[in-house]
């Protein structure tokens, strides 16, 4: 085994574990923050859509709404839909209790169509494995679709939208809706932009056009967030440091 220099952990040269962290919350928050970066970039910083729709009311949607509320987003109406009606009901009642009030009106939609109708922002976080939503006309013309679950929209529904991802080659793997759309020719690969290009101003999205944000989710972002959590946790109350844990001290 080669032991790397212990002096440069931030450069990835340190191969010994520095800490053990619970990963689900870090990864969930990384995903939620990624959704927020996509939404804020594609809406040019406007955090006040009239209507938000949430499709799939599990952990990722819950965390995403909490992050949006924490960032100061607000909307007049929030519509939620889940194949499991009870989960949707319970999500709706939790959403009404968010500490920073995200919305005045929360409703459980009877159908996906009803939920997305007129929504300015649509969050997909289902566990669907096969694309099923085929009509892009169900979305508002200028809707921002945060397609976190990556496999809800058919190639037809992907056509005619602005497409933004975290990393193009990742987003085109594993039979995602975007991969199928490129394969079937409803989206051209050169028309897909990494969100970094929008953030740097290299690409400017057309705000009047429906935009679909499909971030594949990058492990490197989990590591970056884990580092931030670790840095902030070091001096927090209740944290126990184990001397010699890294075998370097
Ligand atoms: N892009 C990313 O970076 C990233 C990161 C983490 C998770 N994800 C994805 O987010 C999705 C949600 O993850 P989770 O942990 O919240 O799952 P979860 O199981 O907690 O919740 C999923 C919810 O979707 C509902 N659902 C399933 N199929 C549906 C459908 N066709 N229509 C409506 N509702 C439906 C389920 O009933 C459930 O309530 C998964 O697909 C996961 O792979 C993406």
């Amino acid at each position: 085994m080669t032991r790397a220099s212990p002096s440069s952990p931030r450069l990835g040269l340190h191969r010994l574990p520095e800490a053990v962290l619970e990963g689900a919350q870090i990864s969930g928050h990384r995903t939620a923050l990624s959704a927020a970066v996509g939404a804020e970039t594609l809406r040019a910083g406007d955090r006040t859509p009239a209507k938000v729709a949430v499709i799939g009311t599990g952990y990722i949607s819950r965390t995403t709404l909490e992050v949006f509320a924490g960032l100061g987003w607000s909307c007049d109406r929030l519509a939620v839909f889940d194949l499991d009606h009870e989960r949707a009901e319970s999500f709706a009642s939790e959403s009404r209790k968010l500490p920073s009030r995200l919305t005045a009106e929360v409703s459980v939609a009877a159908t996906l169509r009803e939920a997305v109708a007129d929504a300015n922002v649509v969050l997909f976080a289902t566990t669907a494995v096969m694309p099923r939503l085929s009509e892009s006309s169900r979305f508002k013309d200028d809707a921002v679709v945060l397609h976190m679950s990556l496999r809800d929209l058919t190639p037809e529904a992907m056509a005619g939208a602005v497409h933004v991802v975290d990393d193009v080659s990742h987003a085109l793997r594993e039979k995602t809706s975007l991969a199928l759309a490129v394969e079937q020719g409803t989206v051209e690969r050169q028309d897909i932009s990494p969100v970094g290009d929008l953030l740097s101003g290299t690409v400017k999205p057309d705000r009047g056009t429906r935009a679909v944000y499909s971030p594949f989710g990058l492990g490197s972002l989990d590591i970056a967030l884990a580092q931030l959590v670790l840095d902030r946790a070091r001096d927090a109350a209740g944290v126990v440091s184990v001397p010699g844990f890294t075998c370097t001290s």
Side-chain angles (χ1 to χ4, degrees):
M1 188 175 97
T2 318
R3 182 165 291 190
S5 156
S7 58
S8 311
R10 283 169 194 279
L11 297 176
L13 299 175
H14 192 323
R15 294 189 188 150
L16 294 170
E18 200 182 329
V20 178
L21 287 91
E22 195 283 329
Q25 288 194 43
I26 288 172
S27 196
H29 280 82
R30 177 268 293 167
T31 306
L33 287 162
S34 166
V37 168
E40 299 208 345
T41 307
L42 289 164
R43 288 182 53 80
D46 177 1
R47 293 173 171 167
T48 56
K51 179 178 173 186
V52 172
V54 172
I55 314 300
T57 55
Y59 177 65
I60 294 297
S61 289
R62 157 75 28 239
T63 311
T64 302
L65 274 203
E66 285 168 3
V67 163
F68 274 51
L71 289 170
W73 278 67
S74 66
C75 58
D76 301 331
R77 287 176 297 148
L78 172 69
V80 305
F81 174 73
D82 197 294
L83 287 182
D84 181 333
H85 192 73
E86 268 181 33
R87 285 195 90 170
E89 287 286 359
S90 129
F91 185 93
S93 77
E94 288 296 312
S95 303
R96 292 182 188 106
K97 296 183 216 148
L98 278 171
S100 142
R101 207 164 169 74
L102 180 77
T103 182
E105 186 191 315
V106 185
S107 62
V108 176
T111 61
L112 186 150
R113 180 175 212 150
E114 183 188 316
V116 304
D118 297 328
N120 310 86
V121 175
V122 181
L123 169 68
F124 279 95
T126 73
T127 38
V129 286
M130 288 287 289
R132 67 200 179 286
L133 186 69
S134 58
E135 298 159 56
S136 56
S137 59
R138 294 196 178 179
F139 298 107
K140 244 174 105 59
D141 287 347
D142 60 353
V144 168
V145 180
L146 306 172
H147 192 200
M148 309 311 286
S149 36
L150 302 168
R151 295 175 188 84
D152 295 85
L153 310 183
T154 64
E156 295 74 39
M158 299 291 271
V162 166
H163 287 283
V164 177
V165 298
D166 45 8
D167 177 272
V168 177
S169 55
H170 275 76
L172 294 178
R173 292 169 45 211
E174 308 285 348
K175 298 198 185 311
T176 60
S177 293
L178 197 54
L180 297 178
V182 169
E183 227 173 84
Q184 296 181 25
T186 62
V187 172
E188 296 293 330
R189 187 186 167 118
Q190 66 265 23
D191 294 337
I192 304 168
S193 306
V195 69
D197 286 359
L198 275 74
L199 289 167
S200 67
T202 318
V203 170
K204 296 221 179 303
D206 175 358
R207 276 205 73 195
T209 308
R210 183 167 41 90
V212 180
Y213 178 56
S214 310
F216 192 80
L218 304 176
S220 53
L221 298 180
D222 285 336
I223 303 283
L225 190 53
Q227 184 67 59
L228 183 72
V229 169
L230 182 59
D231 288 346
R232 294 210 176 158
R234 280 188 205 281
D235 300 323
V239 169
V240 178
S241 293
V242 181
F245 177 72
T246 61
C247 311
T248 57
S249 47

